[in-house]
Amino acid sequence: MTGKLALVTAVATLVAGSAMAQSSGNWTGFYGGAQIGYADIDTSASGVDGDGLIGGIILGYDYDLGDWVVGGGFDYDWSDVDLSGAATVENVWRLKARAGYKVNPQGLLYGTAGYAEADTDTLGSDDGWFIGAGYEQIVAPNISIAGELLYHEFDDFNSSGIDVDATTFQIKAAYRF
């Protein structure tokens, strides 16, 4: 399901980006926006897992090096993913680094990784890491849209002995300053 959604989003992003007004393709600067998507969460506890809607805000800065772009950012997502009645994931935030290659002046294929923290209603919060990839397209002056797939891992969540991993797929829209 996540793979099909990622493919459809990537194709839609490319088509929309080609059809709309383009900017100069300079990625340097700050950006802010919103994201919405899907989270699939699994745990090492038998029968404790869940999936559902996730969404929030994005902030960051990119630096254009020519064919390559590097940057850093912050994401904060609200969630209400029920983990089989044992807990509910309420939010996740991430500090991320990313690096990407411009497939065209307005299209960026990138990899990302960093630190994440997840908060639940009953099990507390814990920190972990994530890694992922995405594609971002500038679709109008100062506006970009993206699709991003991330894998998260939280070992021994809040010293509970339970390992948690999550996969998220989100669609993003940003205003670039």
Side-chain angles (χ1 to χ4, degrees), residues 59 61 74 157 162-163:
L59 302 169
Y61 183 85
F74 171 81
F157 195 92
I162 298 171
D163 296 333

Side-chain angles (χ1 to χ4, degrees), residues 19-95:
M20 300 179 95
Q22 301 294 307
S23 79
S24 67
N26 185 352
W27 291 81
T28 297
F30 289 97
Y31 62 87
Q35 61 187 6
I36 190 163
Y38 171 81
D40 182 24
I41 303 171
D42 294 313
T43 74
S44 60
S46 180
V48 179
D49 56 10
D51 59 11
L53 188 66
I54 189 169
I57 60 170
I58 59 173
L59 302 169
Y61 183 85
D62 286 326
Y63 188 76
D64 194 323
L65 301 169
D67 287 340
W68 296 91
V69 175
V70 296
F74 171 81
D75 296 356
Y76 183 88
D77 287 318
W78 293 274
S79 173
D80 192 26
V81 176
D82 177 50
L83 300 178
S84 306
T88 300
V89 177
E90 295 183 328
N91 60 66
V92 178
W93 64 269
R94 300 170 203 86
L95 287 176

